[in-house]
């Protein structure tokens, strides 16, 4: 391809900018503001208008955008959900460790379930949020910080010291996975080094920093690969590709719809969603109730609206691996380039059932895109995702789906360009129905 669809370039730019959950929400916020969406302060009284475009954030790491329906409160909601977080490493407090030769490494904690060895020998850097003193002790200020340039690496042990490394190499998260930051002249210079770096980057005093949520990220940019550049390889495809598809669909969808269109980007899916900004919290339920009230609805109207609603829980799926076909179900193994994937599990790890699968399959037909199915190999236990967790809060109809990936939870995952474009088309058609 000599020229790529703007959506593909947009995805790569979005992935490169969204180096952690906080920057994903910040990037989405900028996109929405540029498209006329109004930020709402949850602490203030709202005055929503029919057809109005709004968004809120939670914990700076989750985002919920919506376009108010032009029907009644009981007409319901069309919801697409995804998540902002990806597996990786978080920097601990008091993180500096001085080694021989005054080499400084950082004490980190693994977040979620990354493929650890893919993080070795990479150009890594730091990004996240910093909490600084404000005028109100109960409401400190939040600043984002990011280094674009590589600052760290996690060096692998040479094969000469572990001749059996290629036969399997058990890794200690506390010993083997600590990143090297650099070399100081005196050991004393290591104390508070990260706080001083952050303060210098933000132009503030170290004493003004109360705490931080800082992560490592791979500085390698997203890129296209394949004979015809049919694949995209990048960090954080799971699940930022679905967030990108959702926001594109929200912006491209038709105006004047009766039902309220909602995009819900949660945080902490990779650790079980059990936070105030996660899918297991009442954050989405509270938002829908608040919209219902603004539309003049009562509790009866809200319950009717929920029964009229449908949700697409968008979290990526496992594409059949060319080298490990036996890991997949014999008859339901999605391929990269085969279209959006409906995810099914007999033990209800996904919210999909025959009814909701039929709805999404019809959406894909109307959008003129293919779709396929993922079912776990019966000898392999599968994980869960947003859909079934959300239904513990709201009894929504809905489907779990995603795009097929290779190397999910690697520092760099691989997806199909065609699948991403097809997903945007399907999501847009869903909002337009």
């Amino acid at each position: 391809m000599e020229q790529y669809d703007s959506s593909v370039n947009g995805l790569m730019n979005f992935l490169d900018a969204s180096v952690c959950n906080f920057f994903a929400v910040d990037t989405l916020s900028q996109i929405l503001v540029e498209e006329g969406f109004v930020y709402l302060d949850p602490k203030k009284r709202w005055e929503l208008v029919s057809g109005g475009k709004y968004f809120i954030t939670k914990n700076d790491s989750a985002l919920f955008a919506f376009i108010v329906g032009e029907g009644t409160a009981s007409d319901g909601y069309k919801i697409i959900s995804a998540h902002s977080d990806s597996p990786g490493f978080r920097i601990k407090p008091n993180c500096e460790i001085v080694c021989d030769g005054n080499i400084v490494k950082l004490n980190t904690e693994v977040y979620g379930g990354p493929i650890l060895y893919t993080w070795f020998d990479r150009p890594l850097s730091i990004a996240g949020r910093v909490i600084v003193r404000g005028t109100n002790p109960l409401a400190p200020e939040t600043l984002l910080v990011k280094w674009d340039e590589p600052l760290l690496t996690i060096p692998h042990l040479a094969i000469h010291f572990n001749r059996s490394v290629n036969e399997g190499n058990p890794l200690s998260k506390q010993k083997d996975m600590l990143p090297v930051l650099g070399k100081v002249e005196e050991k004393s210079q290591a104390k508070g080094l990260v706080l001083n770096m952050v303060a210098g980057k933000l132009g503030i005093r170290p004493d003004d920093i109360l705490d931080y949520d800082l992560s490592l990220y791979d500085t390698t940019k997203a890129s296209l690969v394949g004979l015809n550049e049919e694949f995209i390889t990048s960090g954080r495809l799971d699940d930022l590709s679905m967030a990108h598809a959702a926001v594109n669909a929200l912006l491209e969808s038709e105006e004047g719809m009766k039902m309220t269109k909602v995009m819900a980007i949660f945080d902490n899916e990779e650790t079980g969603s059990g936070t105030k900004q996660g899918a297991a919290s009442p954050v989405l339920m509270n938002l829908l109730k608040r919209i219902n009230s603004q539309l003049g609805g009562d509790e009866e109207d809200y319950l009717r609206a929920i029964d009229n609603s449908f949700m697409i829980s968008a979290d990526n799926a496992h594409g059949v691996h060319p080298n490990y076909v036996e890991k997949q179900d014999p008859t339901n193994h999605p391929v990269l380039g085969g279209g959006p994937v409906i995810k099914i599990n007999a033990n209800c790890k996904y919210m999909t059932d025959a009814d909701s699968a039929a709805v999404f399959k019809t959406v894909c037909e109307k959008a003129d895109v293919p779709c396929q199915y993922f079912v776990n190999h019966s000898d392999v236990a599968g994980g869960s995702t947003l859909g079934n967790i959300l239904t513990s809060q709201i009894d929504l109809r809905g489907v779990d789906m995603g795009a097929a990936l290779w190397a999910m939870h690697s520092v760099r995952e691989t997806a199909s360009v065609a699948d991403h474009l097809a997903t945007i088309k399907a999501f847009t058609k869903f909002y337009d129905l």
Side-chain angles (χ1 to χ4, degrees):
M1 291 183 291
E2 294 182 1
Q3 186 172 2
Y4 310 119
D5 188 287
S6 60
S7 297
V8 178
N9 288 322
L11 172 61
M12 292 196 292
N13 292 334
F14 178 67
L15 291 166
D16 291 342
S18 304
V19 295
C20 68
N21 51 347
F22 301 109
F23 276 89
V25 165
D26 184 63
T27 305
L28 286 169
S29 298
Q30 293 178 42
I31 292 171
L32 292 169
V33 169
E34 290 173 1
E35 294 293 333
F37 281 70
V38 176
Y39 172 75
L40 297 173
D41 186 342
K43 295 186 291 294
K44 296 181 179 179
R45 178 171 292 275
W46 296 354
E47 298 293 339
L48 306 183
V49 298
S50 177
K53 302 177 180 180
Y54 307 97
F55 74 99
I56 64 170
T57 59
K58 189 77 170 179
N59 191 54
D60 307 309
S61 61
L63 181 145
F64 306 87
F66 58 97
I67 300 176
V68 179
E70 299 188 14
T72 65
S74 60
D75 280 329
Y77 311 94
K78 294 175 184 174
I79 306 166
I80 300 176
S81 64
H83 63 88
S84 64
D85 60 320
S86 299
F89 296 84
R90 301 286 172 89
I91 298 175
K92 294 181 180 179
N94 305 310
C95 57
E96 299 87 0
I97 301 173
V98 184
C99 307
D100 289 350
N102 292 346
I103 300 296
V104 180
K105 63 182 180 181
L106 301 186
N107 194 9
T108 59
E109 186 172 11
V110 172
Y111 176 85
I115 303 176
L116 294 176
Y117 66 81
T118 64
W119 284 77
F120 283 119
D121 307 315
R122 293 273 183 174
L124 306 176
S125 203
I126 299 172
R129 74 171 174 178
V130 181
I131 310 300
V132 301
R133 299 182 192 279
T135 55
N136 180 356
L138 296 179
E141 296 180 8
T142 298
L143 301 173
L144 296 187
V145 67
K146 174 168 69 81
W147 280 265
D148 295 321
E149 66 275 14
L151 292 177
L152 312 99
T153 190
I154 304 174
H156 207 292
L157 182 66
I159 194 170
H160 309 79
F161 296 117
N162 185 6
R163 296 286 183 180
S164 61
V165 64
N166 292 324
E167 299 168 16
N169 186 33
L171 296 172
S172 163
K173 297 174 183 178
Q174 186 62 67
K175 175 180 173 60
D176 298 308
M177 304 310 301
L178 301 186
V180 172
L181 177 61
K183 178 181 171 68
V184 294
E185 293 298 322
E186 302 290 338
K187 288 186 177 181
S188 60
Q189 295 174 333
K191 185 176 179 58
L193 179 59
V194 169
L195 279 180
N196 289 328
M197 288 171 54
V198 170
K201 186 76 171 176
L202 295 175
I204 60 177
R205 298 183 308 161
D207 290 346
D208 289 332
I209 298 174
L210 299 173
D211 215 326
Y212 57 69
D213 292 308
L214 297 177
S215 299
L216 306 185
Y217 77 93
D218 180 7
T219 60
T220 311
K221 302 295 185 182
S223 63
L224 297 175
V225 299
L227 281 175
N228 299 298
E229 298 183 321
E230 60 266 52
F231 304 120
I232 180 169
T233 173
S234 175
R236 305 171 297 280
L237 281 167
D238 174 31
D239 190 35
L240 293 185
S241 63
M242 293 294 98
H244 180 264
V247 74
N248 270 263
L250 189 65
L251 300 179
E252 294 174 10
S253 60
E254 296 177 3
E255 298 182 356
M257 308 302 292
K258 287 186 177 181
M259 297 174 70
T260 295
K261 294 179 282 191
V262 180
M263 178 185 72
I265 309 299
F266 296 95
D267 192 13
N268 304 128
E269 189 278 339
E270 299 294 355
T271 57
S273 296
T275 60
K276 63 185 180 299
Q277 60 274 4
S281 80
V283 59
L284 178 61
M285 178 179 66
N286 291 342
L287 172 63
L288 300 183
K289 285 186 173 182
R290 200 161 178 177
I291 296 171
N292 173 74
S293 177
Q294 285 283 309
L295 290 174
D298 56 17
E299 182 70 12
E300 175 77 6
D301 292 315
Y302 171 72
L303 295 176
R304 290 171 63 200
I306 293 302
D307 266 355
N308 282 328
S309 300
F310 193 89
M311 182 176 70
I312 296 174
S313 167
D315 196 1
N316 283 305
H318 299 291
V320 63
H321 195 293
N323 298 334
Y324 303 97
V325 177
E326 71 281 1
K327 294 293 185 180
Q328 291 268 7
D329 180 73
T331 61
N332 297 284
H333 42 260
V335 298
L336 270 65
V341 179
I342 298 170
K343 300 160 68 173
I344 297 175
N345 181 267
N347 294 300
C348 304
K349 295 295 185 181
Y350 304 129
M351 72 186 303
T352 309
D353 54 26
D355 166 67
S356 61
V359 169
F360 187 73
K361 187 174 182 179
T362 305
V363 169
C364 290
E365 288 176 354
K366 288 186 174 295
D368 195 27
V369 301
C371 71
Q372 47 189 339
Y373 288 87
F374 171 81
V375 184
N376 280 306
H377 190 290
S378 296
D379 293 330
V380 179
S384 62
T385 183
L386 300 167
N388 65 321
I389 293 174
L390 276 166
T391 54
S392 67
Q393 295 288 336
I394 315 171
D395 56 332
L396 286 163
R397 293 168 70 213
V399 64
D400 271 302
M401 57 74 61
L405 297 185
W406 291 329
M408 187 181 291
H409 288 198
S410 171
V411 74
R412 289 186 74 81
E413 300 158 324
T414 301
S416 160
V417 168
D419 286 345
H420 189 67
L421 300 179
T423 301
I424 293 174
K425 289 181 66 177
F427 286 0
T428 305
K429 179 58 67 173
F430 169 68
Y431 278 141
D432 286 344
L433 291 174

